[in-house]
Amino acid sequence: FRLAIDRAFSLPGIGLVVTGTAASGAVAIGDHLCLSPRGIELRVRTIHAHNRAVEQARAGARCALNLAGSLPEGAEPGRGDWVLAPALHKPVSRIDLAVTVSRAAPAPLRDGLPVHFHLGTEDMVARLAVLGARAIAPGEAGFVQVDFERPIGALWGDRVVIRDHMARHTLAGGRVLDPGPPRRGRSRPERLAALSALAEPDAGDALERLI
């Protein structure tokens, strides 16, 4: 199970509630989940989906989860965080993407460019490194590495949107290929070949090509 939080609040007599759309899997009352990227364990007390109480919610459902757990001061969940199965908790501060630059982008996607990065409900400032080239022109595709100021939750296949630093223009859209890439040798031919393999839309095909 995986859900990107868009709202989090407390209700008297109920406690912590988070809302969002389930991105994958299923969740049931009593399940133990992880608040990511903080890594805090929480338990599902009740579930509301489409404004009614339910025992279980599945991918695609808009739902509200009432969660119980011990949250340190200052570690309350917020927009951009995930609640997910503990096995999927792997916060990262750097990812590799396959991107296509918008034909309407005001300029090429350049190495070292500061951008607004959107994944799930997350919106943060990040810095790009264009891999295998110095820039990607409008309408063209390529690979980039993104560095973040703080860890985020990301998995292979996640969709992303990249906007300019002032958040006025959509520059590119893309997909996460490697949520734990190396910094050294990131533009070597063998590394670019690995990213090309990971760009396969089917996970099994991507793994086969990577091997």
Side-chain angles (χ1 to χ4, degrees):
F1 177 74
R2 194 166 178 243
L3 176 144
I5 297 173
D6 55 36
R7 285 196 308 151
F9 50 90
S10 292
L11 294 176
I14 295 176
L16 175 65
V17 177
V18 301
T19 68
T21 301
S24 63
V27 64
I29 293 173
D31 282 357
H32 289 265
L33 301 176
C34 180
L35 174 63
S36 186
R38 292 174 177 82
I40 299 169
E41 183 178 325
L42 299 168
R43 180 176 54 83
V44 180
R45 296 176 64 186
T46 61
I47 305 170
H48 276 72
H50 305 294
N51 297 317
R52 64 186 181 89
V54 296
E55 295 290 320
Q56 187 180 73
R58 294 186 174 277
R62 175 78 189 167
C63 55
L65 306 179
N66 176 208
L67 302 172
S70 179
L71 290 167
E73 186 175 349
E76 295 81 6
R79 184 178 180 87
D81 291 338
W82 295 84
V83 283
L84 40 71
L88 298 182
H89 170 62
K90 187 192 175 193
V92 295
S93 57
R94 183 171 61 250
I95 59 177
D96 280 356
L97 310 171
V99 298
T100 300
V101 179
S102 170
R103 294 183 183 278
L109 211 59
R110 298 190 180 279
D111 197 52
L113 186 70
V115 296
H116 267 272
F117 181 86
H118 301 264
L119 189 160
T121 55
E122 181 66 87
D123 171 11
M124 69 162 59
V125 175
R127 190 168 293 276
L128 292 183
V130 177
L131 306 181
R134 302 191 108 185
I136 306 173
E140 299 295 322
F143 301 127
V144 299
Q145 187 168 101
V146 186
D147 278 290
F148 306 102
E149 296 176 346
R150 56 180 172 79
I152 69 165
L155 295 177
W156 177 89
D158 282 350
R159 299 287 181 174
V160 307
V161 172
I162 297 171
R163 305 185 77 202
D164 71 290
H165 186 60
M166 300 298 291
R168 292 178 299 187
H169 304 284
T170 298
L171 302 179
R175 199 160 57 92
V176 176
L177 300 184
D178 190 344
R183 184 184 295 276
R184 293 185 178 181
R186 60 191 180 189
S187 287
R188 289 178 179 170
E190 57 267 33
R191 178 60 188 168
L192 297 177
L195 291 177
S196 179
L198 288 167
E200 288 283 348
D202 178 81
D205 292 343
L207 179 59
E208 187 174 5
R209 278 196 61 191
L210 187 63
I211 291 171

